[in-house]
Amino acid sequence: MEKDEKRLKEFKSLVDEANNNSSDRQKIAAHVDVVLFFSYDIVGSTKYKELHPDDWAGKIKKIFEAIKQRVNTEIKIAHIWRILGDEIIFVMKVSGKQMKFSEQAILSDSVAVIYKILQEATDEIEGETKELSLKAAAWIGIVSDEEHYETDTKIPKKYKNLFYKYTVDETRNRKIFEFMGNDIDAGFRIKQFTYSRQLVLSFELAYLINRFISHEESKNIELIHMGYKPLKGIWHDRPYPIIWYYDKSYKKVDFLQSLPYDAANENSIIKNYQSRYCNQSTDQSMDLFEKISHDLGIDDKLTIIKQTLKNVEKSIELNDWLYNEDELHLHLAAVCCDFKNKRVFIAKRSTARGKYSACWEFGCAKANKSQDYIECIKKEYEDDFGLKIKIMVSSDRGEQCPTPYALYEIKENGEEFQSDKGIIVYAKIMNDNIDEFANKKDYKKHECSLLLTEEAASQFLSENEKSVPDFKDTIMHAFDIMKKDEEDYQWR
């Protein structure tokens, strides 16, 4: 009896510690994100459409699909924002702490990959036709959602951009997401001042990665100051520095040598740069960034971006942030059981997650078309928690589909057309080292995990812990299942 009481006390201390940690994180989490935007624009598409009226659509679609595939492979946390004509635009949330990099490093690495994709995709396009090419742009901004744009006073509004969703179909609750703000406008303005195979950066993005790429390991990378252009509505129409990103390792030559011989005739920015370069009046030094930021009085804005990158430890999933309004996403919640020790696995959601923040749950997978139910659940539980599991399946069907314990539908904030719909199934944990999940921390989407015996679960539930709906009934039914031997069930 003493031993059981001691275990319950230890368990209670673990729960208290988890709650205290999540509370501290909530205090430092700002309701903002640093978002990196980048786009690829097809060069020569207008003329190509005129010359190839019968097959241009298939060609453009093929290019976009190839770019999307490269981005999905190389930058897994990026998502398409929109396609505008002959341009495809991506967004990605950036958190240096979450990705275990310094803020300059994660930005520099991201831009390096964006440039790499630009070069490789252009090589592929030009290998098929000399009529088309690609150019790119990247920019950065502090983004706040509608709810906190007005109420959160930690960051001046003049430095924030707004993320919001608007409804285009009331009956199906179909929504579109949008970004608005000066940094977004600046990004769209600078895109016109680039050239085939070139990547133009916003000033803030160039500033933040400048010192990092000055290190020895980045000796092939240059930020080329191509001159100044006034951008409508940006910096009160004062001249804006046009900065191109160049990596010498791709062409093995200096920047000017990498340009086509007739580039200056086609592009006034290149022509002006060549003139300044020949007169030895170019300004490539770090002082350029410091001078401009000081004169414009935006040093504090750049500091805020860096601080936000450091402090946002676990950001809301971008996919949850952008989508999931109009499509049915079938949730597959697996209650994972340790049959040998008669324990149930539970995990506490991160405080930064939008839905059911800081709630205890069993984890969840989302069904997709490319995998069957069981493979989908297994993969996501291993990705999210490191758990290797087998799913309880029906014995009376040749397909061996998961045995559903319950169906659920939870209205979100009482909205009539929007709810989470899912199936609860049971699984057995196959890991050899099951005990390591008894108090494991630092998951990507969760604060921590626990393994509960039936007695510990009763104590846990009596403390009125914040949890997802039907948590109590589901967890107690798991212990009923484990009162039989695991061999009494079929598993896959």
Side-chain angles (χ1 to χ4, degrees), residues 346-482:
I346 63 171
K348 188 170 188 177
R349 292 170 66 90
S350 166
T351 56
R353 298 184 71 181
K355 296 179 182 178
Y356 312 122
S357 171
C359 282
W360 289 92
E361 63 166 10
F362 305 102
C364 188
K366 291 180 183 177
N368 61 64
K369 294 180 180 180
S370 63
Q371 293 176 297
D372 66 25
Y373 289 129
I374 292 177
E375 293 308 314
C376 178
I377 298 170
K378 286 182 175 180
K379 183 180 185 306
E380 290 210 35
Y381 272 74
E382 185 166 5
D383 289 346
D384 288 350
F385 304 110
L387 287 174
K388 296 182 184 298
I389 59 175
K390 285 190 175 182
I391 312 301
M392 184 187 294
V393 296
S394 300
S395 59
D396 57 348
R397 297 192 61 180
E399 297 176 349
Q400 287 198 320
C401 290
T403 304
Y405 163 63
L407 303 178
Y408 65 85
E409 180 174 0
I410 304 170
K411 300 291 184 185
E412 185 174 331
N413 298 325
E415 292 192 23
E416 182 179 357
F417 299 107
Q418 191 166 324
S419 62
D420 287 336
K421 300 173 177 67
I423 300 172
I424 300 172
V425 300
Y426 285 92
K428 66 174 178 177
I429 302 172
M430 304 300 295
N431 300 67
D432 294 330
N433 54 339
I434 296 179
D435 283 337
E436 77 171 50
F437 301 99
N439 184 31
K440 190 174 179 180
K441 300 180 181 179
D442 296 325
Y443 294 105
K444 182 179 178 182
K445 302 176 185 176
H446 295 77
E447 300 287 347
C448 62
S449 66
L450 296 170
L451 282 168
L452 303 181
T453 63
E454 186 169 5
E455 188 174 6
S458 297
Q459 177 71 22
F460 179 93
L461 295 168
S462 70
E463 299 293 334
N464 295 315
E465 288 292 334
K466 188 178 178 185
S467 59
V468 295
D470 297 323
F471 184 77
K472 177 180 179 180
D473 291 341
T474 305
I475 197 170
M476 297 313 293
H477 186 260
F479 293 113
D480 290 338
I481 285 177
M482 286 190 287

Side-chain angles (χ1 to χ4, degrees), residues 135 189-195 198 200 224-231 240-244 255-256 259 263-277 282:
K135 59 184 181 180
R189 301 278 192 273
I190 63 171
K191 289 189 299 175
Q192 62 183 304
F193 299 114
T194 185
Y195 186 70
Q198 304 305 320
V200 62
I224 312 293
H225 177 214
M226 300 298 295
Y228 296 92
K229 290 287 183 179
L231 305 182
Y240 191 97
I242 305 303
I243 301 169
W244 288 4
F255 170 65
L256 280 177
L259 299 171
N265 291 334
E266 297 180 351
N267 189 285
S268 62
I269 296 175
I270 295 176
K271 182 177 181 180
N272 291 336
Y273 175 81
Q274 286 182 332
S275 176
R276 291 166 54 234
Y277 185 89
T282 56

